[in-house]
Amino acid sequence: MLWINKPFKKNVPYYTIPLIDLAVKPEKTPDELDYLYHNTVVDNSSSYLGHPDSILLNDGKILTFYPEGHGKGRIISKISADGGISYTEEIKNPPVSWEKSLETPTVYRLQFTDGNEKLILISGNPKWPGVPTPGGFNCSISEDEGKTWSEFKLFYDNNSDFPIIPIVSMASLTRLKENGKFVDKWMGLFHNSKFENFKTILTFDENGDYHWSKPEKYLAKYRKYETYAGICEVEAIRSDMGKGDEICLIARCNKKRCTSLLIFSKDEGKTWSEPVEAPVSLNGERHKADYTPDGRLFITFRSIERNKEAYKKNNVEAVKRNWYSEGWVAWVGTYEDMKKGNEGQYRIKIAHTYLDNQNEPALAANGDTGYCGNVVLDDGTIVTSSYGIFSTEEKEHGRYDTDKGKQKRKTSIVSKRINLKDVDKLLG
């Protein structure tokens, strides 16, 4: 028995809600639902591309960023002008400093009380084997809807008054409230290699320059959870369609000793509740959450499953490590489902990511996926992008760039358009 709290009614090894598989199109699929099974290639120009993030621009275009490599590598951009159907543009004359990025980029929209808006791209400087790092994290700002960007500005590097080596900064960035109203402050979350989780507050001064507060360990009270579970890459979700007064964190548990953890704050991140295990249907890594117009949550992540009977039956080579992945998935439910420990409405297998020994989609998939860029269009259509091995095409010799370097097949970036009203129809 884990000592971590188990407040939910059922501690089942596998989720029981329906799984909608969009990897294989059934016969007699209605024409209007055919698009759900189509993957759009964002970029397959290299042997390994990974870890995308996306932002919806005010003109309706989708701007997607990703590194040329596993985490570290030149930041590449692609733009879709047709709602994710194709990606034919890119940022012209990107900053030179983006060439030496050491981390998966994250991108957010900053909305100010005076009506102004900016975009911010963040890239940390973790320690890679054999690669020197300045430490800290880099930020780049756009004030013209992503057309031009500032060169990287470095914070909390090795020579600063608070040197830190972050990982996935910022995994989440949440606008804060004071006295019940949104203000021009944003809470960013990241972790380090010791699974210490930090928060830092972004503000702008009267001259328009920006600052991050000294990072602080916001889960220090629950240090035993951090170390036991390996809490990291935390997603933050604000209640009530993003306008409420409560913030929920979904934490990746990297050591895979327990289900993903949920943590709540009702005082804008000043204090946090004791972590509890999420429903098994939400178990996974690198969650990214967005509300749809009907109030539901669409949460993408890399699935982590522990149903022994399922993976033995499907001859999955994961019995020894006691877990397997269904790959790139999404959970559909409500904020209240998370709070009450309900499983949610259903899960979606968005696309199949191939293991080396697979030549057709199966239950088990390659877990090197997730880290999604999600946007929600005005009509409720979700455009979600991820990386992974989406075909059996082998890599180009000598260009495979990961920390393990064992996979033989090419990794690329793809996106998919999903409207939950259409997915609901697949449930009958």
Side-chain angles (χ1 to χ4, degrees):
M1 286 290 292
L2 297 175
W3 48 261
I4 291 180
N5 293 350
K6 296 183 180 296
F8 308 123
K9 294 181 180 179
K10 293 183 179 180
N11 181 29
V12 294
Y14 196 64
Y15 60 87
T16 61
I17 56 176
L19 173 67
I20 309 299
D21 189 351
L22 300 183
V24 180
K25 185 174 69 174
E27 294 182 5
K28 299 181 180 180
T29 298
D31 290 344
E32 67 269 19
L33 303 182
D34 182 80
Y35 80 97
L36 291 169
Y37 300 90
H38 177 68
N39 298 335
T40 296
V41 175
V42 178
D43 193 348
N44 63 357
S45 62
S46 186
S47 293
Y48 194 101
L49 299 169
H51 313 92
D53 201 3
S54 302
I55 196 81
L56 181 64
L57 302 178
N58 286 332
D59 63 3
K61 292 182 179 180
I62 301 168
L63 176 54
T64 298
F65 297 100
Y66 47 92
E68 189 177 33
H70 185 87
K72 64 182 182 299
R74 175 176 65 100
I75 294 176
I76 303 173
S77 67
K78 289 291 182 181
I79 302 171
S80 174
D82 53 14
I85 296 173
S86 64
Y87 292 79
T88 58
E89 304 175 36
E90 60 187 35
I91 294 173
K92 298 177 181 177
N93 302 314
V96 175
S97 51
W98 288 10
E99 293 283 335
K100 297 181 179 180
S101 173
L102 292 177
E103 180 66 289
T104 166
T106 59
V107 61
Y108 299 97
R109 178 176 296 278
L110 306 177
Q111 296 177 311
F112 294 81
T113 52
D114 63 4
N116 288 328
E117 296 184 342
K118 302 178 191 289
L119 304 180
I120 185 168
L121 182 144
I122 307 165
S123 173
N125 293 309
K127 181 69 178 102
W128 295 94
V131 180
T133 177
F137 54 87
N138 296 302
C139 298
S140 184
I141 295 283
S142 174
E143 301 189 29
D144 56 8
E145 282 298 290
K147 295 181 178 65
T148 62
W149 293 80
S150 65
E151 293 290 346
F152 273 151
K153 182 177 179 180
L154 180 60
F155 295 86
Y156 300 108
D157 62 285
N158 294 335
N159 296 318
S160 70
D161 59 351
F162 192 84
I164 195 165
I165 307 293
I167 300 175
V168 187
S169 48
M170 304 299 169
S172 61
L173 186 68
T174 305
R175 192 179 182 186
L176 296 176
K177 288 183 173 183
E178 290 180 358
N179 300 317
K181 295 183 179 180
F182 284 112
V183 295
D184 296 342
K185 295 181 179 180
W186 293 263
M187 177 177 65
L189 304 179
F190 65 89
H191 72 284
N192 64 13
S193 61
K194 297 179 181 179
F195 299 108
E196 295 173 310
N197 288 267
F198 295 85
K199 75 172 183 179
T200 174
I201 307 301
L202 170 65
T203 56
F204 286 74
D205 62 27
E206 58 186 11
N207 297 318
D209 198 11
Y210 60 104
H211 311 270
W212 294 90
S213 66
K214 181 179 177 180
E216 60 178 280
K217 300 174 185 178
Y218 66 94
L219 291 180
K221 181 179 178 180
Y222 306 116
R223 181 60 183 152
K224 63 180 182 180
Y225 290 84
E226 289 182 303
T227 56
Y228 181 86
I231 292 177
C232 61
E233 296 176 10
V234 173
E235 171 69 318
I237 307 170
R238 188 177 283 278
S239 61
D240 190 24
M241 294 285 287
K243 299 178 181 179
D245 296 327
E246 183 176 71
I247 299 172
C248 172
L249 304 183
I250 307 180
R252 170 179 177 172
C253 294
N254 196 61
K255 295 183 180 179
K256 299 178 179 60
R257 292 172 171 171
C258 60
T259 303
S260 297
L261 296 178
L262 300 179
I263 313 166
F264 296 87
S265 176
K266 293 185 177 181
D267 57 9
E268 300 300 300
K270 295 181 178 67
T271 62
W272 297 93
S273 66
E274 187 172 10
V276 295
E277 288 187 281
V280 176
S281 54
L282 267 170
N283 190 38
E285 299 176 344
R286 195 61 181 109
H287 300 79
K288 293 285 283 186
D290 289 273
Y291 282 100
T292 57
D294 62 9
R296 286 184 285 182
L297 277 168
F298 178 87
I299 305 177
T300 55
F301 54 99
R302 169 195 297 161
S303 103
I304 301 294
E305 313 299 335
R306 294 189 181 83
N307 186 349
K308 293 182 180 180
E309 295 305 316
Y311 59 69
K312 286 180 181 178
K313 181 179 179 180
N314 286 272
N315 299 316
V316 177
E317 297 176 0
V319 177
K320 291 183 180 180
R321 69 184 183 192
N322 207 34
W323 65 274
Y324 70 100
S325 178
E326 288 180 358
W328 178 19
V329 303
W331 177 91
V332 178
T334 66
Y335 187 89
E336 287 302 309
D337 284 332
M338 291 194 304
K339 281 208 69 173
K340 295 179 179 179
N342 298 332
E343 285 194 275
Q345 187 179 3
Y346 53 77
R347 293 204 349 171
I348 301 171
K349 180 166 181 173
I350 300 174
H352 187 68
T353 48
Y354 287 87
L355 292 164
D356 279 345
N357 61 350
Q358 291 178 332
N359 291 309
E360 60 184 24
L363 172 72
N366 194 317
D368 193 17
T369 187
Y371 288 75
C372 302
N374 301 334
V375 301
V376 182
L377 306 182
D378 290 342
D379 66 353
T381 298
I382 302 154
V383 182
T384 178
S385 301
S386 188
Y387 76 105
I389 298 175
F390 297 103
S391 76
T392 58
E393 180 183 0
E394 291 195 0
K395 67 181 180 65
E396 299 174 38
H397 179 71
R399 293 188 64 192
Y400 197 65
D401 181 22
T402 72
D403 50 350
K404 295 181 179 179
K406 295 181 179 179
Q407 295 167 328
K408 298 178 180 179
R409 293 171 173 173
K410 193 172 184 176
T411 302
S412 57
I413 310 291
V414 306
S415 74
K416 177 164 282 190
R417 290 165 48 87
I418 299 173
N419 193 304
L420 295 186
K421 292 181 180 179
D422 290 332
V423 180
D424 293 341
K425 296 174 183 177
L426 297 177
L427 286 172

